[in-house]
């Protein structure tokens, strides 16, 4: 420890729980900057060849990392496969080669311009989870640019001493290498809880804090670092007292983790016999193993959008089918809930030529896009129905605003069913069909919608955004994004009551479902199922198993008498601290 340096504390996004204490290691993961320059006409093809060699070298490096993976790292295999697919993307290759030939740009400058254009596509994506996938593109871009410059990208596998990584960002290829390394944890400038960096950190059990903005600039080489992945705290040059304090916290966290593991295999039953299902939100079939280890009762939300991104062509029916069949077979007799496409036409990196919109969050996206592009919609529905022959599948439509829209979607579904019957293709004829309730109009008329479907799934991310007129990714108003706003709680109660009055189950798959602080309220609301990231399941399960459902219901009734989110939040935290003191609310 450098005694001449003053201790400094930084707050970021808590990405993966745990405490790490040790020496820091600065890893260069900033996107290299190419210089704008022109090549001679007789050197253009040499420049194209140099770019192709850099791509080939990048693919070899990623493939080599993927080939070292074991069965324990299947969750990450697909992420590296996505990186390989991006490096094979014809759009990336063709556009860069064309820019070199037409504008005589150097390979680095041409590639950087193409990369920026593709990154801008991701920035326009409304869904924060999918928008973060742009980091994958940035990470493979970093690798290509390093290879173009003749530099070997820093390899975590070459680090032999136990250290804490300090970086602008980490790629999945980086985090995979942590599996067999001495890395204690990491802190990055960028990222969110839904970034692949954070997801892989949680699945590896490595303490991590992301979104620190300037940690790479503030860190001095060789300094000691403390990472608290639960609170999102990073301490540079800690005092002896701070090291002692966090050493005790580390022991306490390890004990809590061991205690939580005991709950993964237990049923989610409250003390008064109320049973809930805790499901996992996933994107890749390879995430199934982690979800099952965490005690998931099934999949409450399977996002299908990634199949469509970063490609020049559209996914085939067979691609859909194989993906869905693989995941349903992984979960055997457990339910898998597949959400149909939830992107807008302007978000596709494909041959679709649709205009950009001023407000894509409320434009041609999700079910609206699917009802306009019915061939794309039918292809996905056919694949889901075919996969239903291999296990328990539910299908749900996103962004339904009313009865007319729902009935039109159901009409398309009926057409596909009829066609499959004529061709004698097997499928589950009783496959449950549900809808996402994420638009205020759907919440208001949920009593009518409930008569037409088999289940509801509340998407709180969009419901809160639309109900409170808040752009949750706009830093100027994101502080108003409040799940405990009384209007939001009243909408949730209305939806649950409408579903139950019609005899259908009601689930929640938004981020609110995986927050331990809200679990008691959601129990009191009467939700039948909560779907969340796999890592959140054991803790939510422990809280619910210690709860009494009828007491939670009475408490929610009291909460709804208060007019502000501040009052509700204060009362809720006091209640949770009293009921569950070991949870640390």
């Amino acid at each position: 420890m450098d005694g001449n340096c003053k201790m400094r504390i930084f707050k970021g996004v808590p990405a993966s729980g745990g405490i790490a204490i040790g020496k820091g290691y600065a890893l260069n993961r900033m996107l290299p900057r190419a210089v704008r320059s022109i090549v001679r006409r007789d050197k253009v093809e040499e420049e194209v060849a140099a770019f192709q060699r850099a791509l080939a070298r990048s693919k070899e490096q990623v493939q080599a990392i993927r080939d070292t993976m074991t069965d324990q790292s299947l969750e990450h295999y697909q992420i590296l496969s996505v990186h390989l697919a991006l490096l094979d993307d014809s759009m990336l290759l063709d556009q860069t080669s064309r820019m070199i030939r037409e504008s005589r740009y150097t390979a680095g400058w041409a590639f950087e311009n193409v990369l920026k254009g593709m990154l801008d596509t991701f920035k326009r994506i409304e869904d924060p989870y999918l928008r973060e996938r742009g980091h994958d593109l940035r990470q493979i871009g970093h690798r290509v640019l390093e290879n173009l410059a003749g530099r070997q990208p820093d390899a975590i596998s070459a680090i032999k001493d136990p250290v804490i990584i300090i970086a602008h960002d980490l790629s999945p290829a980086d985090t995979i290498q942590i599996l067999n390394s001495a890395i204690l944890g990491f802190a990055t400038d960028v990222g969110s809880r839904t970034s692949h960096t954070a997801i892989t950190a949680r699945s590896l059990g490595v303490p991590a804090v992301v979104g620190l903005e300037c940690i790479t600039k503030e860190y001095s080489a060789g300094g000691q670092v403390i990472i608290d992945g639960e609170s999102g705290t990073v301490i540079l040059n800690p005092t002896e007292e701070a090291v002692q304090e966090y050493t005790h916290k580390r022991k306490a966290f390890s004990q809590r983790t061991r205690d939580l593991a005991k709950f993964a295999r237990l049923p989610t039953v409250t003390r008064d016999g109320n049973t809930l299902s805790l499901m996992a939100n996933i994107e890749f079939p390879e995430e199934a193993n982690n979800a099952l280890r965490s005690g998931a009762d099934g999949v409450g939300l399977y996002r299908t959008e990634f199949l469509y991104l970063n490609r020049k062509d559209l996914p085939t029916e067979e691609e859909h089918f194989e993906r869905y069949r693989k995941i349903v077979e992984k979960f055997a007799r457990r339910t898998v809930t597949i959400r149909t496409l939830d992107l807008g036409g302007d978000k596709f990196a494909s041959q679709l030529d649709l205009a950009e919109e001023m407000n894509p969050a409320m434009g041609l996206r999700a079910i609206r896009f699917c009802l306009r592009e019915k061939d794309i919609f039918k292809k996905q529905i056919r694949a889901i129905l075919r996969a239903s022959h291999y296990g328990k599948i539910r299908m749900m439509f996103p962004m339904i605003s009313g009865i007319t829209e729902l009935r039109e979607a159901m009409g398309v579904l009926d057409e596909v069913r009829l066609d499959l019957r004529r061709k004698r293709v097997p499928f589950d004829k009783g496959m449950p069909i549900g809808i996402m309730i994420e638009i205020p109009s759907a919440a208001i008329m949920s009593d009518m919608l409930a008569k037409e479907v088999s289940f509801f799934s509340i998407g709180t991310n969009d419901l809160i955004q639309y109900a409170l007129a808040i752009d949750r990714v706009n830093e100027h108003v994101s502080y108003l994004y409040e799940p405990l706003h009384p209007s939001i709680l009243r909408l949730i109660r209305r939806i649950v009551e409408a579903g139950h009055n019609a005899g259908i189950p009601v689930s929640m798959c938004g981020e609110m479902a995986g927050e331990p602080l809200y679990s008691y309220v959601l129990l009191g609301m009467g939700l039948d199922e909560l779907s969340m990231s796999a890592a959140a399941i054991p803790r939510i399960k422990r809280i619910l198993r210690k709860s009494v459902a009828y007491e939670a219901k009475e408490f929610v009734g009291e909460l709804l008498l208060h007019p502000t989110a501040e009052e509700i939040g204060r009362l809720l935290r006091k209640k949770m601290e009293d009921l569950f003191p070991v949870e640390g609310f």
Side-chain angles (χ1 to χ4, degrees):
M1 188 187 308
D2 187 350
N4 296 322
C5 294
K6 184 178 179 182
M7 183 175 85
R8 288 177 295 164
I9 301 174
F10 301 85
K11 294 292 288 185
V13 178
S16 179
I19 308 292
I21 305 171
K23 183 179 177 181
Y25 182 97
L27 190 70
N28 179 18
R29 283 296 182 264
M30 287 290 288
L31 197 64
R33 300 292 298 176
V35 178
R36 187 182 189 281
S37 55
I38 306 296
V39 297
R40 288 172 14 206
R41 291 188 185 279
D42 61 339
K43 298 292 183 181
V44 164
E45 291 307 315
E46 289 183 21
E47 206 67 18
V48 172
F51 171 63
Q52 292 172 342
R53 285 194 300 273
L55 276 182
R57 179 63 182 142
S58 299
K59 283 188 277 191
E60 289 172 4
Q61 291 164 350
V62 175
Q63 183 70 59
I65 295 169
R66 196 179 70 165
D67 288 347
T68 65
M69 295 170 60
T70 64
D71 290 341
Q72 285 70 44
S73 52
L74 283 174
E75 294 89 349
H76 318 301
Y77 185 93
Q78 180 65 26
I79 299 173
L80 293 182
S81 297
V82 169
H83 281 214
L84 287 172
L86 288 171
L87 288 165
D88 270 328
D89 183 60
S90 59
M91 181 180 294
L92 199 66
L93 176 62
D94 294 346
Q95 286 190 6
T96 303
S97 299
R98 184 168 62 250
M99 189 172 286
I100 295 171
R101 290 185 174 111
E102 293 179 357
S103 302
R104 291 167 46 205
Y105 287 155
T106 57
W109 182 248
F111 176 70
E112 186 175 294
N113 277 274
V114 172
L115 184 65
K116 284 180 179 177
M118 295 178 73
L119 288 172
D120 286 342
T121 299
F122 274 94
K123 289 177 183 177
R124 294 197 301 271
I125 293 176
E126 174 62 22
D127 187 322
Y129 187 93
L130 292 168
R131 190 173 55 252
E132 286 291 348
R133 302 291 74 78
H135 283 304
D136 294 320
L137 186 60
R138 178 181 293 275
Q139 288 154 359
I140 67 107
H142 176 280
R143 185 175 292 277
V144 173
L145 287 170
E146 289 281 25
N147 282 312
L148 272 171
R151 295 188 293 266
Q152 176 72 24
D154 290 345
I156 287 178
S157 58
I159 301 172
K160 303 305 179 184
D161 298 323
V163 294
I164 293 172
I165 296 292
I166 307 294
H168 178 69
D169 194 13
L170 293 177
S171 71
D174 291 324
T175 51
I176 291 303
Q177 294 175 68
I178 292 174
L179 274 170
N180 301 309
S181 74
I183 305 304
L184 302 173
F186 60 81
T188 62
D189 291 331
V190 301
S192 74
R193 279 191 61 81
T194 56
S195 65
H196 270 145
T197 305
I199 292 167
T200 52
R202 287 194 291 274
S203 61
L204 292 170
V206 177
V209 179
V210 300
L212 287 152
E213 298 184 356
C214 60
I215 197 68
T216 52
K217 293 180 181 177
E218 299 294 337
Y219 171 72
S220 298
Q224 192 168 22
V225 181
I226 294 175
I227 288 181
D228 183 344
E230 286 191 285
S231 67
T233 302
V234 173
I235 302 176
L236 300 184
N237 303 305
T239 62
E240 291 293 348
E241 291 78 9
V243 171
Q244 291 177 11
E245 176 189 351
Y246 278 89
T247 299
H248 290 307
K249 286 186 176 182
R250 183 171 58 188
K251 291 178 181 177
F253 178 83
S254 297
Q255 184 60 50
R256 287 199 306 273
T257 301
R258 287 193 294 271
D259 292 342
L260 275 176
K262 303 171 186 175
F263 287 83
R265 298 298 177 188
L266 298 176
T268 311
V269 182
T270 64
R271 286 166 53 197
D272 54 338
N274 191 294
T275 301
L276 289 85
S277 292
L278 296 190
M279 314 284 271
N281 293 341
I282 67 174
E283 181 180 20
F284 298 117
E286 288 75 15
E287 292 179 89
N289 290 343
N290 192 34
L292 290 168
R293 283 195 299 268
S294 298
D297 295 315
V299 176
L301 170 63
Y302 179 39
R303 302 178 179 94
T304 61
E305 291 74 33
F306 202 79
L307 268 171
Y308 293 84
L309 297 177
N310 285 311
R311 55 190 299 161
K312 198 170 183 179
D313 57 342
L314 291 167
T316 66
E317 181 182 322
E318 288 304 312
E319 286 181 87
H320 280 285
F321 169 67
E322 289 298 334
R323 186 69 65 94
Y324 306 151
R325 186 183 68 174
K326 183 176 181 181
I327 194 166
V328 79
E329 289 178 341
K330 280 272 188 182
F331 278 88
R333 291 176 294 279
R334 294 177 174 90
T335 297
V336 173
T337 310
I338 301 178
R339 181 180 69 185
T340 58
L341 178 62
D342 189 11
L343 279 182
D346 63 317
K347 311 304 192 308
F348 285 99
S350 72
Q351 293 177 334
L352 292 176
D353 185 19
L354 298 177
E356 292 186 12
E357 301 175 273
M358 291 183 64
N359 194 343
M362 300 188 200
L364 187 64
R365 58 168 284 207
I367 198 65
R368 301 169 183 178
F369 172 81
C370 289
L371 292 176
R372 171 169 161 170
E373 301 291 337
K374 290 183 180 176
D375 288 343
I376 295 173
F377 194 28
K378 287 180 179 180
K379 188 184 299 181
Q380 183 177 29
I381 291 175
R382 281 178 61 88
I384 294 172
L385 284 169
R386 288 172 56 198
S388 71
H389 179 65
Y390 296 87
K392 293 178 66 175
I393 287 182
R394 299 186 305 192
M395 184 173 72
M396 62 182 178
F397 302 126
M399 208 178 177
I400 292 292
S401 62
I403 294 290
T404 301
E405 212 165 39
L406 172 59
R407 287 178 178 170
E408 188 176 352
M410 294 294 282
V412 175
L413 172 61
D414 288 339
E415 289 179 30
V416 176
R417 281 173 170 160
L418 180 60
D419 182 57
L420 290 178
R421 285 195 192 98
R422 285 172 178 164
K423 295 177 179 177
R424 298 183 182 275
V425 176
F427 66 93
D428 177 9
K429 297 176 177 60
M431 183 180 73
I433 307 300
I435 59 172
M436 296 277 291
I437 303 288
E438 51 192 338
I439 297 179
S441 63
I444 292 167
M445 63 180 303
S446 52
D447 56 333
M448 293 184 176
L449 288 165
K451 298 173 184 177
E452 311 242 345
V453 294
S454 301
F455 67 95
F456 281 160
S457 185
I458 304 173
T460 52
N461 298 359
D462 274 339
L463 183 62
I464 295 169
Q465 173 173 251
Y466 295 138
L468 300 182
I470 292 166
D471 179 356
R472 64 179 184 271
V473 299
N474 184 322
E475 67 273 18
H476 301 298
V477 296
S478 59
Y479 70 97
L480 295 169
Y481 185 84
E482 178 52 77
L484 295 179
H485 193 289
S487 66
I488 301 302
L489 297 182
R490 287 166 186 260
L491 281 176
I492 293 172
R493 183 177 65 172
R494 182 188 184 98
I495 297 163
V496 173
E497 289 177 350
H500 289 174
N501 287 339
I504 66 171
V506 181
S507 173
M508 178 182 289
C509 63
E511 290 300 311
M512 188 177 182
E515 287 294 333
L517 178 64
Y518 306 141
S519 55
Y520 193 71
V521 171
L522 299 180
L523 172 64
M525 290 279 188
L527 281 141
D528 304 290
E529 178 184 300
L530 301 177
S531 192
M532 61 201 71
S533 67
I537 291 174
R539 190 177 180 195
I540 299 293
K541 187 174 290 190
R542 180 169 67 178
I543 291 171
L544 294 175
R545 283 178 57 88
K546 292 181 178 180
S547 301
V548 178
Y550 77 84
E551 292 178 355
K553 184 176 181 180
E554 291 177 356
F555 177 67
V556 167
E558 295 172 11
L559 280 187
L560 290 173
L561 297 176
H562 293 271
T564 69
E566 290 78 14
E567 292 176 50
I568 290 172
R570 188 165 55 250
L571 288 169
L572 177 58
R573 283 181 175 82
K574 175 68 167 59
K575 184 71 170 180
M576 297 298 278
E577 287 168 1
D578 291 344
L579 289 176
F580 315 106
V582 299
E583 298 295 340
F585 290 105

